[in-house]
C-alpha cells in the first residue's frame, strides 16, 4: 500500500503524519511554526528521515492561507499577503521538490473538508462545508465531491455581518476590522475580553453575540451553496454550547423559509462538529497526497 506524507501547516504549529487513512495514520509529529526558513527546513528533515527508511509515494500540504492554489499561476504554492510575520510570499513547495514525488496543495480547512467527506462527519455526502473558528475563520467547500477553488479559495471568514446592537467591539481584522473573522475568532475574543475563550463560562453573554454572527454565516452558506451539511470546528467553533446556540440562531435567520431545516433533529444533523477531531487537517493532507498521485485508498 502506498505511503503518503501529510503536512498540516498551521499558524502556530505544523503536524506531519504518515499513512493512507485514519486506521493506519501514525501519531503526527508536531513542530512549531516559526519563520518560513526554520519551519520548512524542519519539515524537510522529518520527511527525509522517513523517506530513507520507508520511502514516500506522494506529499500533501494543507496550509494556512491565503495561499496561491492555481497550478498555472506564476505564484503557485506561495503564501499571499498575510498578517503572519515573515510568511507573505513564502514558497511552500520549493523545499519539497527534492523528494521527486507528486505534491498536492490546498488550504488547511480545505484539506479538513476533504478528510471529513472521506472518513468523518460528512462521509457519503457530495456537498458539504467545513468551517473552522480558531486563530482565524477558514472555510472549505466541497461541491459534487470536489474541493472548490476559484481564482483563490473561499475566504468567507471575511464576510461582512450585521452588527449586534449590543456589540461595540471594533474587530481585529487588519483588513476589515469587524468582518466575521474580526469579531468571532480566538484573537477577537481575547481582544474583547482580555482572556481566551476557554476561560469563559458557558452562560457568558458574549456567546450569544458570537453565535449570532456565526448563524448569519451559516444562513449565507445555506442560501448560496445549498450544502447537505455544515461542519463547525476549530478551538472556538466546536464548543458544544456554542454549536447549540448557532443552530438556534440559524433557525431564526432562515425564518421558516427552508422547511427541511425547521425541526430540531434536522438542524442537529445539518450543523455538526467534525467527526475526525484534531486529525481532520493532517488526514486532509493525506487525501491531497493521494489525489496528487491519482490513487484512492479505502
Amino acid at each position: 500500500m502506498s505511503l503518503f506524507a501529510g503536512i498540516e501547516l498551521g499558524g502556530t504549529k505544523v503536524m506531519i503524519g504518515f499513512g493512507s487513512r485514519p486506521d493506519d495514520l501514525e501519531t503526527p509529529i508536531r513542530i512549531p511554526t516559526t519563520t518560513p526558513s526554520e519551519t520548512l527546513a524542519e519539515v524537510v528533515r522529518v520527511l527525509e528521515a522517513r523517506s530513507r527508511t520507508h520511502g514516500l509515494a506522494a506529499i500533501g500540504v494543507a496550509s494556512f492561507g491565503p495561499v496561491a492554489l492555481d497550478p498555472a499561476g506564476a505564484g503557485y504554492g506561495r503564501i499571499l499577503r498575510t498578517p503572519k510575520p515573515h510568511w507573505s510570499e513564502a514558497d511552500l513547495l520549493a523545499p519539497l521538490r527534492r523528494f521527486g514525488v507528486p505534491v498536492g496543495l490546498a488550504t488547511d480547512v480545505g484539506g479538513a473538508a476533504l478528510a471529513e467527506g472521506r472518513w468523518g462527519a460528512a462521509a457519503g455526502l457530495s456537498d458539504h462545508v467545513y468551517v473552522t473558528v480558531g486563530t482565524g475563520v477558514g472555510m472549505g467547500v466541497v461541491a459534487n465531491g470536489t474541493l472548490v477553488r476559484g481564482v483563490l479559495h473561499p475566504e468567507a471568514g471575511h464576510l461582512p455581518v450585521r452588527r449586534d446592537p449590543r456589540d461595540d467591539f471594533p474587530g481585529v481584522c487588519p483588513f476589515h476590522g469587524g468582518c466575521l473573522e474580526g469579531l468571532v475568532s480566538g484573537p477577537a475574543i481575547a481582544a474583547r475580553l482580555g482572556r481566551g475563550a476557554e476561560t469563559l463560562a458557558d452562560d457568558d453573554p458574549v456567546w450569544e453575540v458570537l453565535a449570532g454572527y456565526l448563524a448569519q454565516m451559516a444562513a449565507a452558506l445555506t442560501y448560496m451553496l445549498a450544502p447537505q451539511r455544515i461542519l463547525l470546528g476549530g478551538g472556538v467553533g466546536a464548543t458544544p454550547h456554542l454549536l447549540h446556540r448557532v443552530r438556534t440562531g440559524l433557525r431564526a435567520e432562515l425564518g421558516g423559509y427552508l422547511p427541511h431545516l425547521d425541526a430540531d433533529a434536522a438542524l442537529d444533523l445539518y450543523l455538526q462538529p467534525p467527526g475526525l477531531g484534531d486529525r481532520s487537517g493532517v488526514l486532509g493532507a493525506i487525501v491531497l497526497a493521494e489525489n496528487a498521485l491519482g490513487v484512492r485508498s479505502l
Side-chain angles (χ1 to χ4, degrees):
M1 182 176 290
S2 299
L3 180 68
F4 304 115
I7 303 165
E8 180 189 6
L9 176 58
T12 58
K13 67 181 184 301
V14 181
M15 304 295 286
I16 306 174
F18 300 95
S20 61
R21 59 187 185 276
D23 291 348
D24 68 9
L25 181 71
E26 298 177 12
T27 301
I29 297 167
R30 174 173 175 161
I31 62 177
T33 303
T34 56
T35 65
S37 58
E38 290 177 350
T39 303
L40 297 176
E42 184 63 13
V43 168
V44 167
R45 186 193 67 77
V46 171
L47 295 184
E48 284 180 336
R50 182 63 193 219
S51 181
R52 285 194 297 269
T53 58
H54 292 80
L56 296 175
I59 300 168
V61 180
S63 172
F64 71 88
V67 59
L69 296 180
D70 181 2
Y76 177 59
R78 290 184 179 273
I79 298 290
L80 303 177
R81 185 180 178 188
T82 174
K84 186 167 180 58
H86 312 298
W87 280 86
S88 294
E89 295 301 320
D91 189 338
L92 304 181
L93 301 184
L96 303 178
R97 294 191 178 104
R98 71 186 68 196
F99 295 98
V101 299
V103 180
L105 174 67
T107 61
D108 48 0
V109 68
L114 289 174
E116 289 290 337
R118 177 73 60 82
W119 302 294
L125 304 181
S126 61
D127 301 270
H128 68 277
V129 181
Y130 182 104
V131 180
T132 181
V133 184
T135 304
V137 177
M139 186 173 303
V141 178
V142 174
N144 197 26
T146 301
L147 190 63
V148 170
R149 175 184 60 78
V151 295
L152 184 60
H153 46 76
E155 279 285 359
H158 294 278
L159 283 169
V161 293
R162 300 187 315 274
R163 295 301 296 258
D164 188 304
R166 299 167 292 182
D167 186 22
D168 60 0
F169 177 65
V172 299
C173 176
F175 301 103
H176 313 116
C179 63
L180 180 68
E181 179 174 291
L183 295 172
V184 306
S185 64
I189 295 171
R192 282 175 180 276
L193 305 172
R195 53 199 175 101
E198 69 280 1
T199 68
L200 302 182
D202 291 359
D203 60 354
D204 193 297
V206 76
W207 290 117
E208 291 294 337
V209 174
L210 302 178
Y213 294 140
L214 290 171
Q216 290 183 49
M217 172 206 68
L221 295 176
T222 300
Y223 287 134
M224 288 188 298
L225 301 176
Q228 294 164 285
R229 187 160 298 159
I230 297 174
L231 306 179
L232 187 58
V236 176
T239 306
H241 61 83
L242 176 62
L243 193 62
H244 172 73
R245 288 181 169 95
V246 176
R247 290 184 182 123
T248 301
L250 175 57
R251 176 187 280 116
E253 288 287 334
L254 297 178
Y257 184 70
L258 300 176
H260 69 285
L261 292 177
D262 278 348
D264 288 345
L267 278 173
D268 289 350
L269 188 63
Y270 181 65
L271 188 57
Q272 290 191 29
L276 298 172
D278 60 5
R279 300 195 301 166
S280 293
V282 71
L283 283 168
I286 294 290
V287 177
L288 293 170
E290 170 190 293
N291 290 347
L293 190 62
V295 302
R296 171 73 181 261
S297 62
L298 298 177

PDB file of all heavy atoms in Angstrom, residues 12 133-137 169 171-173 181-197 236:
ATOM      1  N   THR A  12       0.324  28.276  14.121  1.00  0.00           N
ATOM      2  CA  THR A  12       1.143  28.127  15.328  1.00  0.00           C
ATOM      3  C   THR A  12       1.916  26.820  15.380  1.00  0.00           C
ATOM      4  O   THR A  12       2.915  26.726  16.079  1.00  0.00           O
ATOM      5  CB  THR A  12       0.263  28.218  16.593  1.00  0.00           C
ATOM      6  OG1 THR A  12      -0.745  27.192  16.541  1.00  0.00           O
ATOM      7  CG2 THR A  12      -0.405  29.578  16.684  1.00  0.00           C
ATOM      8  N   VAL A 133     -13.290  27.823  13.283  1.00  0.00           N
ATOM      9  CA  VAL A 133     -13.205  29.091  14.000  1.00  0.00           C
ATOM     10  C   VAL A 133     -12.187  28.916  15.114  1.00  0.00           C
ATOM     11  O   VAL A 133     -12.424  28.194  16.084  1.00  0.00           O
ATOM     12  CB  VAL A 133     -14.571  29.509  14.590  1.00  0.00           C
ATOM     13  CG1 VAL A 133     -14.461  30.881  15.255  1.00  0.00           C
ATOM     14  CG2 VAL A 133     -15.641  29.527  13.506  1.00  0.00           C
ATOM     15  N   GLY A 134     -11.062  29.546  14.935  1.00  0.00           N
ATOM     16  CA  GLY A 134      -9.985  29.450  15.916  1.00  0.00           C
ATOM     17  C   GLY A 134      -9.128  30.689  15.813  1.00  0.00           C
ATOM     18  O   GLY A 134      -9.601  31.799  16.031  1.00  0.00           O
ATOM     19  N   THR A 135      -7.859  30.513  15.425  1.00  0.00           N
ATOM     20  CA  THR A 135      -6.983  31.660  15.217  1.00  0.00           C
ATOM     21  C   THR A 135      -7.568  32.600  14.167  1.00  0.00           C
ATOM     22  O   THR A 135      -7.416  33.818  14.240  1.00  0.00           O
ATOM     23  CB  THR A 135      -5.585  31.190  14.785  1.00  0.00           C
ATOM     24  OG1 THR A 135      -5.080  30.291  15.781  1.00  0.00           O
ATOM     25  CG2 THR A 135      -4.638  32.358  14.646  1.00  0.00           C
ATOM     26  N   GLY A 136      -8.225  32.037  13.192  1.00  0.00           N
ATOM     27  CA  GLY A 136      -8.960  32.791  12.182  1.00  0.00           C
ATOM     28  C   GLY A 136     -10.270  32.087  11.912  1.00  0.00           C
ATOM     29  O   GLY A 136     -10.700  31.222  12.681  1.00  0.00           O
ATOM     30  N   VAL A 137     -10.914  32.445  10.822  1.00  0.00           N
ATOM     31  CA  VAL A 137     -12.112  31.738  10.361  1.00  0.00           C
ATOM     32  C   VAL A 137     -11.823  31.268   8.946  1.00  0.00           C
ATOM     33  O   VAL A 137     -11.660  32.081   8.029  1.00  0.00           O
ATOM     34  CB  VAL A 137     -13.360  32.636  10.388  1.00  0.00           C
ATOM     35  CG1 VAL A 137     -14.566  31.871   9.824  1.00  0.00           C
ATOM     36  CG2 VAL A 137     -13.650  33.106  11.810  1.00  0.00           C
ATOM     37  N   PHE A 169     -17.607  46.276  19.835  1.00  0.00           N
ATOM     38  CA  PHE A 169     -16.220  45.873  19.615  1.00  0.00           C
ATOM     39  C   PHE A 169     -15.846  46.145  18.152  1.00  0.00           C
ATOM     40  O   PHE A 169     -16.555  45.716  17.237  1.00  0.00           O
ATOM     41  CB  PHE A 169     -16.050  44.392  19.941  1.00  0.00           C
ATOM     42  CG  PHE A 169     -14.679  43.853  19.695  1.00  0.00           C
ATOM     43  CD1 PHE A 169     -13.595  44.307  20.436  1.00  0.00           C
ATOM     44  CD2 PHE A 169     -14.468  42.879  18.732  1.00  0.00           C
ATOM     45  CE1 PHE A 169     -12.323  43.804  20.208  1.00  0.00           C
ATOM     46  CE2 PHE A 169     -13.194  42.366  18.500  1.00  0.00           C
ATOM     47  CZ  PHE A 169     -12.128  42.834  19.241  1.00  0.00           C
ATOM     48  N   GLY A 171     -13.469  45.018  16.219  1.00  0.00           N
ATOM     49  CA  GLY A 171     -12.930  43.916  15.437  1.00  0.00           C
ATOM     50  C   GLY A 171     -11.420  43.983  15.324  1.00  0.00           C
ATOM     51  O   GLY A 171     -10.814  45.037  15.504  1.00  0.00           O
ATOM     52  N   VAL A 172     -10.806  42.840  15.007  1.00  0.00           N
ATOM     53  CA  VAL A 172      -9.347  42.762  14.984  1.00  0.00           C
ATOM     54  C   VAL A 172      -8.766  42.471  13.609  1.00  0.00           C
ATOM     55  O   VAL A 172      -7.551  42.410  13.471  1.00  0.00           O
ATOM     56  CB  VAL A 172      -8.841  41.678  15.967  1.00  0.00           C
ATOM     57  CG1 VAL A 172      -9.245  42.004  17.391  1.00  0.00           C
ATOM     58  CG2 VAL A 172      -9.319  40.284  15.560  1.00  0.00           C
ATOM     59  N   CYS A 173      -9.610  42.289  12.601  1.00  0.00           N
ATOM     60  CA  CYS A 173      -9.067  42.006  11.273  1.00  0.00           C
ATOM     61  C   CYS A 173      -8.277  43.219  10.785  1.00  0.00           C
ATOM     62  O   CYS A 173      -8.812  44.334  10.748  1.00  0.00           O
ATOM     63  CB  CYS A 173     -10.192  41.683  10.289  1.00  0.00           C
ATOM     64  SG  CYS A 173      -9.596  41.449   8.592  1.00  0.00           S
ATOM     65  N   GLU A 181     -14.404  37.150  10.804  1.00  0.00           N
ATOM     66  CA  GLU A 181     -13.186  36.735  11.496  1.00  0.00           C
ATOM     67  C   GLU A 181     -12.753  37.767  12.529  1.00  0.00           C
ATOM     68  O   GLU A 181     -12.297  37.414  13.624  1.00  0.00           O
ATOM     69  CB  GLU A 181     -12.071  36.518  10.480  1.00  0.00           C
ATOM     70  CG  GLU A 181     -10.742  36.103  11.106  1.00  0.00           C
ATOM     71  CD  GLU A 181      -9.711  35.748  10.050  1.00  0.00           C
ATOM     72  OE1 GLU A 181      -9.877  34.715   9.378  1.00  0.00           O
ATOM     73  OE2 GLU A 181      -8.734  36.511   9.899  1.00  0.00           O
ATOM     74  N   GLY A 182     -12.909  39.027  12.191  1.00  0.00           N
ATOM     75  CA  GLY A 182     -12.514  40.086  13.111  1.00  0.00           C
ATOM     76  C   GLY A 182     -13.339  40.150  14.369  1.00  0.00           C
ATOM     77  O   GLY A 182     -12.930  40.775  15.362  1.00  0.00           O
ATOM     78  N   LEU A 183     -14.510  39.490  14.352  1.00  0.00           N
ATOM     79  CA  LEU A 183     -15.414  39.544  15.501  1.00  0.00           C
ATOM     80  C   LEU A 183     -15.488  38.254  16.305  1.00  0.00           C
ATOM     81  O   LEU A 183     -15.774  38.297  17.505  1.00  0.00           O
ATOM     82  CB  LEU A 183     -16.832  39.910  15.024  1.00  0.00           C
ATOM     83  CG  LEU A 183     -17.002  41.303  14.423  1.00  0.00           C
ATOM     84  CD1 LEU A 183     -18.397  41.453  13.830  1.00  0.00           C
ATOM     85  CD2 LEU A 183     -16.742  42.382  15.462  1.00  0.00           C
ATOM     86  N   VAL A 184     -15.253  37.080  15.653  1.00  0.00           N
ATOM     87  CA  VAL A 184     -15.526  35.821  16.359  1.00  0.00           C
ATOM     88  C   VAL A 184     -14.305  34.932  16.546  1.00  0.00           C
ATOM     89  O   VAL A 184     -14.399  33.907  17.232  1.00  0.00           O
ATOM     90  CB  VAL A 184     -16.626  35.008  15.636  1.00  0.00           C
ATOM     91  CG1 VAL A 184     -17.872  35.836  15.422  1.00  0.00           C
ATOM     92  CG2 VAL A 184     -16.122  34.432  14.313  1.00  0.00           C
ATOM     93  N   SER A 185     -13.175  35.262  15.951  1.00  0.00           N
ATOM     94  CA  SER A 185     -12.001  34.400  16.070  1.00  0.00           C
ATOM     95  C   SER A 185     -11.460  34.395  17.499  1.00  0.00           C
ATOM     96  O   SER A 185     -11.822  35.244  18.325  1.00  0.00           O
ATOM     97  CB  SER A 185     -10.906  34.871  15.111  1.00  0.00           C
ATOM     98  OG  SER A 185     -10.463  36.173  15.473  1.00  0.00           O
ATOM     99  N   GLY A 186     -10.561  33.451  17.761  1.00  0.00           N
ATOM    100  CA  GLY A 186      -9.935  33.401  19.074  1.00  0.00           C
ATOM    101  C   GLY A 186      -9.255  34.703  19.460  1.00  0.00           C
ATOM    102  O   GLY A 186      -9.453  35.209  20.576  1.00  0.00           O
ATOM    103  N   PRO A 187      -8.423  35.297  18.564  1.00  0.00           N
ATOM    104  CA  PRO A 187      -7.821  36.584  18.891  1.00  0.00           C
ATOM    105  C   PRO A 187      -8.844  37.684  19.119  1.00  0.00           C
ATOM    106  O   PRO A 187      -8.608  38.583  19.941  1.00  0.00           O
ATOM    107  CB  PRO A 187      -6.951  36.878  17.657  1.00  0.00           C
ATOM    108  CG  PRO A 187      -6.613  35.538  17.116  1.00  0.00           C
ATOM    109  CD  PRO A 187      -7.836  34.710  17.340  1.00  0.00           C
ATOM    110  N   ALA A 188      -9.976  37.637  18.419  1.00  0.00           N
ATOM    111  CA  ALA A 188     -11.021  38.643  18.631  1.00  0.00           C
ATOM    112  C   ALA A 188     -11.618  38.515  20.025  1.00  0.00           C
ATOM    113  O   ALA A 188     -11.845  39.519  20.721  1.00  0.00           O
ATOM    114  CB  ALA A 188     -12.107  38.506  17.573  1.00  0.00           C
ATOM    115  N   ILE A 189     -11.849  37.280  20.456  1.00  0.00           N
ATOM    116  CA  ILE A 189     -12.402  37.068  21.796  1.00  0.00           C
ATOM    117  C   ILE A 189     -11.412  37.557  22.849  1.00  0.00           C
ATOM    118  O   ILE A 189     -11.789  38.236  23.822  1.00  0.00           O
ATOM    119  CB  ILE A 189     -12.738  35.583  22.001  1.00  0.00           C
ATOM    120  CG1 ILE A 189     -13.867  35.163  21.050  1.00  0.00           C
ATOM    121  CG2 ILE A 189     -13.146  35.316  23.453  1.00  0.00           C
ATOM    122  CD1 ILE A 189     -14.124  33.675  21.029  1.00  0.00           C
ATOM    123  N   ALA A 190     -10.138  37.224  22.656  1.00  0.00           N
ATOM    124  CA  ALA A 190      -9.127  37.655  23.622  1.00  0.00           C
ATOM    125  C   ALA A 190      -9.033  39.175  23.671  1.00  0.00           C
ATOM    126  O   ALA A 190      -8.868  39.771  24.751  1.00  0.00           O
ATOM    127  CB  ALA A 190      -7.774  37.045  23.253  1.00  0.00           C
ATOM    128  N   ALA A 191      -9.135  39.823  22.508  1.00  0.00           N
ATOM    129  CA  ALA A 191      -9.062  41.289  22.475  1.00  0.00           C
ATOM    130  C   ALA A 191     -10.299  41.924  23.096  1.00  0.00           C
ATOM    131  O   ALA A 191     -10.209  42.980  23.738  1.00  0.00           O
ATOM    132  CB  ALA A 191      -8.895  41.766  21.027  1.00  0.00           C
ATOM    133  N   ARG A 192     -11.437  41.306  22.923  1.00  0.00           N
ATOM    134  CA  ARG A 192     -12.677  41.807  23.526  1.00  0.00           C
ATOM    135  C   ARG A 192     -12.603  41.811  25.049  1.00  0.00           C
ATOM    136  O   ARG A 192     -13.000  42.762  25.719  1.00  0.00           O
ATOM    137  CB  ARG A 192     -13.852  40.892  23.163  1.00  0.00           C
ATOM    138  CG  ARG A 192     -14.458  41.007  21.809  1.00  0.00           C
ATOM    139  CD  ARG A 192     -15.516  39.905  21.665  1.00  0.00           C
ATOM    140  NE  ARG A 192     -16.172  39.918  20.375  1.00  0.00           N
ATOM    141  CZ  ARG A 192     -17.201  40.686  20.068  1.00  0.00           C
ATOM    142  NH1 ARG A 192     -17.693  41.492  20.985  1.00  0.00           N
ATOM    143  NH2 ARG A 192     -17.738  40.644  18.862  1.00  0.00           N
ATOM    144  N   LEU A 193     -12.128  40.664  25.576  1.00  0.00           N
ATOM    145  CA  LEU A 193     -12.306  40.396  26.997  1.00  0.00           C
ATOM    146  C   LEU A 193     -11.010  40.347  27.783  1.00  0.00           C
ATOM    147  O   LEU A 193     -11.027  40.259  29.013  1.00  0.00           O
ATOM    148  CB  LEU A 193     -13.048  39.065  27.177  1.00  0.00           C
ATOM    149  CG  LEU A 193     -14.399  38.966  26.437  1.00  0.00           C
ATOM    150  CD1 LEU A 193     -14.940  37.548  26.525  1.00  0.00           C
ATOM    151  CD2 LEU A 193     -15.390  39.958  27.016  1.00  0.00           C
ATOM    152  N   GLY A 194      -9.886  40.368  27.085  1.00  0.00           N
ATOM    153  CA  GLY A 194      -8.616  40.279  27.780  1.00  0.00           C
ATOM    154  C   GLY A 194      -8.282  38.883  28.253  1.00  0.00           C
ATOM    155  O   GLY A 194      -7.352  38.700  29.046  1.00  0.00           O
ATOM    156  N   ARG A 195      -8.969  37.888  27.760  1.00  0.00           N
ATOM    157  CA  ARG A 195      -8.715  36.488  28.111  1.00  0.00           C
ATOM    158  C   ARG A 195      -9.286  35.589  27.033  1.00  0.00           C
ATOM    159  O   ARG A 195     -10.133  36.005  26.243  1.00  0.00           O
ATOM    160  CB  ARG A 195      -9.311  36.123  29.475  1.00  0.00           C
ATOM    161  CG  ARG A 195     -10.782  36.444  29.629  1.00  0.00           C
ATOM    162  CD  ARG A 195     -11.191  36.501  31.089  1.00  0.00           C
ATOM    163  NE  ARG A 195     -12.571  36.912  31.270  1.00  0.00           N
ATOM    164  CZ  ARG A 195     -13.564  36.087  31.528  1.00  0.00           C
ATOM    165  NH1 ARG A 195     -13.325  34.773  31.633  1.00  0.00           N
ATOM    166  NH2 ARG A 195     -14.798  36.522  31.693  1.00  0.00           N
ATOM    167  N   GLY A 196      -8.825  34.350  26.996  1.00  0.00           N
ATOM    168  CA  GLY A 196      -9.209  33.443  25.939  1.00  0.00           C
ATOM    169  C   GLY A 196     -10.600  32.865  26.094  1.00  0.00           C
ATOM    170  O   GLY A 196     -11.191  32.879  27.187  1.00  0.00           O
ATOM    171  N   ALA A 197     -11.128  32.322  24.998  1.00  0.00           N
ATOM    172  CA  ALA A 197     -12.468  31.743  25.001  1.00  0.00           C
ATOM    173  C   ALA A 197     -12.590  30.589  25.993  1.00  0.00           C
ATOM    174  O   ALA A 197     -13.662  30.358  26.561  1.00  0.00           O
ATOM    175  CB  ALA A 197     -12.823  31.268  23.588  1.00  0.00           C
ATOM    176  N   VAL A 236     -12.613  27.400  18.847  1.00  0.00           N
ATOM    177  CA  VAL A 236     -13.802  28.127  19.272  1.00  0.00           C
ATOM    178  C   VAL A 236     -15.053  27.474  18.718  1.00  0.00           C
ATOM    179  O   VAL A 236     -16.035  27.238  19.429  1.00  0.00           O
ATOM    180  CB  VAL A 236     -13.738  29.604  18.818  1.00  0.00           C
ATOM    181  CG1 VAL A 236     -15.036  30.335  19.177  1.00  0.00           C
ATOM    182  CG2 VAL A 236     -12.539  30.308  19.443  1.00  0.00           C
TER     183      VAL A 236
END
